[in-house]
């Protein structure tokens, strides 16, 4: 294979920051990953990350939006959601006790995904969850 040839495919979708767009993001993810054993996990992750963007950042305010990116290669499915920022702190994975009513979302995403990375920038936050297609050391089979 040529060193500049990639077998990864990448899709992107920008959604207005309305709650009903979460179901659109799920459907979009499900359609792209149709037939993949990772589709259900990816759909759940996208749902949680999209809802977090709408509920906890400027994405959910008037004229806000969030952007999804989905990259698929033979080794990994990577799902990224970028919000409009507007909060004092970047999202972080917290493991709440079983009685907690809030703050469980990214903990759940980190339990499903093999790796979760949060990038903070002036324009917003990007949370990327990776699902490996095969079991790797430190990960789990999906």
């Amino acid at each position: 294979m040529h060193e500049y040839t990639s077998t990864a495919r990448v899709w992107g979708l920008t959604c207005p920051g309305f709650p009903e767009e979460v179901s659109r993001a799920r459907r979009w993810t499900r359609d792209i990953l149709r037939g993949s054993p990772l589709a259900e996990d990816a759909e759940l992750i996208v749902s949680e990350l999209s809802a977090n963007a709408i509920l906890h950042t400027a994405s959910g305010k008037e004229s806000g939006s969030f952007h999804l990116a989905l990259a698929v290669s033979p080794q990994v499915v990577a799902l990224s959601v970028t919000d409009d920022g507007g909060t004092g702190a970047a999202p972080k994975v917290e493991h709440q006790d079983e009685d907690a009513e809030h703050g469980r979302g990214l903990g759940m995403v980190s339990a499903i995904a093999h790796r979760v990375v949060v990038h903070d920038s002036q324009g917003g936050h990007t949370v990327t969850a990776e699902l490996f297609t095969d079991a790797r050391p430190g990960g789990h089979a999906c």
Side-chain angles (χ1 to χ4, degrees):
M1 179 197 294
H2 188 273
E3 69 178 297
Y4 297 112
T5 303
S6 173
T7 57
R9 297 189 63 193
V10 180
W11 292 262
L13 176 69
T14 299
C15 298
F18 303 124
E20 57 269 19
E21 293 298 313
V22 174
S23 63
R24 178 179 173 210
R26 281 195 314 262
R27 188 173 52 253
W28 178 80
T29 302
R30 186 175 53 243
D31 288 347
I32 291 170
L33 295 176
R34 188 175 315 276
S36 168
L38 301 175
E40 287 183 13
D41 287 342
E43 184 180 350
L44 180 60
I45 289 168
V46 163
S47 179
E48 184 60 39
L49 296 181
S50 299
N52 282 353
I54 292 169
L55 292 172
H56 302 296
T57 74
S59 293
K61 301 208 182 311
E62 187 174 328
S63 75
S65 64
F66 61 97
H67 181 78
L68 294 103
L70 175 58
V72 178
S73 76
Q75 297 81 26
V76 66
V77 172
L79 308 134
S80 297
V81 175
T82 302
D83 63 43
D84 285 344
T87 60
K92 64 182 176 193
V93 176
E94 295 180 336
H95 298 283
Q96 302 290 343
D97 65 32
E98 61 186 53
D99 296 330
E101 294 183 20
H102 300 286
R104 294 177 160 205
L106 281 180
M108 178 185 66
V109 168
S110 73
I112 296 169
H114 290 94
R115 185 167 78 160
V116 176
V117 179
V118 177
H119 293 281
D120 190 19
S121 70
Q122 291 179 340
H125 313 100
T126 300
V127 180
T128 301
E130 296 176 349
L131 298 167
F132 299 134
T133 57
D134 61 344
R136 304 245 175 140
H140 64 281
C142 292

